[in-house]
Amino acid sequence: MSNLPNCPKCNSEYSYEDRDFLVCPECGNEWKQGADVERAVGQKVVKDAHGNILQDGDTVTVIKDLKVKGSSSVVKIGTKVKNIRLVEGDHDIDCKIDGFGAMQLKSEFVKKA
Ligand SMILES: [Zn+2]
C-alpha cells in the first residue's frame, strides 16, 4: 500500500512517483504533487516610509534626495513617481522618472502620493 494520491484524471490508484512527478500507468497522466497548493511565498508586502502598503501602478513621492547610481544626478525630495512596479530585491520599486529614465528605488524612501 502506498500513500500516493489517486490519479486526478482517471482516479487510478496505481500512481507512482517519478522524480518530482506522479505518474499514472493507466492513462499516462503526469502531475506534480501539491502543485495546486497555494503558495504564500513571493507575496511580499511592500510598504512606504509611513507603513502604507504599495501596489503596482501607485504614484509615490520621494522623501529624500536620492543619488542616482552611476551618475552625478540626484532625484530631488518631492519628486513624483508615477506608475511604480514592485519588484523583488533590495530596491523594491521599479519605475520611470521624468528626466532620469528607468530606475529602481527603495520603498523606505518614498511615500504614497
Ligand atoms: Zn490516470
Side-chain angles (χ1 to χ4, degrees):
M1 284 299 275
S2 75
N3 295 319
L4 294 172
N6 289 357
C7 171
K9 219 170 177 179
C10 68
N11 209 32
S12 160
E13 58 191 295
Y14 300 110
S15 54
Y16 61 89
E17 273 179 301
D18 183 16
R19 283 177 300 242
D20 286 347
F21 291 90
L22 290 167
V23 181
C24 170
E26 298 202 30
C27 72
N29 187 27
E30 284 184 22
W31 70 100
K32 201 157 185 166
Q33 192 168 16
D36 54 356
V37 173
E38 262 185 69
R39 290 200 193 102
V41 186
Q43 293 288 319
K44 200 179 89 163
V45 175
V46 177
K47 290 180 182 169
D48 72 2
H50 299 285
N52 297 309
I53 293 171
L54 297 173
Q55 290 176 312
D56 286 355
D58 275 351
T59 299
V60 297
T61 308
V62 176
I63 59 161
K64 179 180 184 289
D65 284 353
L66 299 172
K67 272 199 78 173
V68 179
K69 226 199 278 177
S71 87
S72 57
S73 338
V74 173
V75 177
K76 289 269 182 227
I77 182 168
T79 302
K80 257 197 178 165
V81 184
K82 283 183 200 159
N83 202 17
I84 62 166
R85 204 166 61 84
L86 303 179
V87 293
E88 293 283 328
D90 179 31
H91 289 64
D92 40 19
I93 297 174
D94 209 16
C95 61
K96 248 185 188 164
I97 302 180
D98 291 342
F100 293 95
M103 58 182 297
Q104 295 194 323
L105 299 173
K106 288 189 182 186
S107 55
E108 61 197 274
F109 298 138
V110 304
K111 70 178 165 82
K112 205 166 172 169

